[in-house]
Amino acid sequence: MTLPEDSDEYTTYDSDGRTVAKEYCSFSGEATMDDATYSWSAVLSYDYAMANASSNLADTVRTIFIYVNS
């Protein structure tokens, strides 16, 4: 899976309209293992609030959620 080509589809900007505040994108699909099919989804989230406040990109809060359903 890849991110959409247009970053505006998953990017939220701060009130100035230029500073990235958050990036949030979801992915989904199916996988087969041992003759069983599973649906899965994942959410990738970057929150830049602390990084913007400290001017240090290392302070970005990165979170990934993974869900698997049988």
Side-chain angles (χ1 to χ4, degrees), residues 3-55:
L3 290 170
E5 286 187 34
D6 183 1
S7 62
D8 285 339
E9 291 184 38
Y10 58 86
T11 304
T12 302
Y13 295 92
D14 215 347
S15 58
D16 66 6
R18 294 184 3 219
T19 304
V20 176
K22 291 184 180 184
E23 292 178 309
Y24 182 95
C25 192
S26 60
F27 306 89
S28 61
E30 289 188 343
T32 302
M33 189 170 108
D34 297 329
D35 296 324
T37 300
Y38 301 89
S39 60
W40 61 269
S41 61
V43 175
L44 178 61
S45 173
Y46 281 37
D47 185 336
Y48 295 98
M50 292 181 68
N52 291 338
S54 69
S55 297

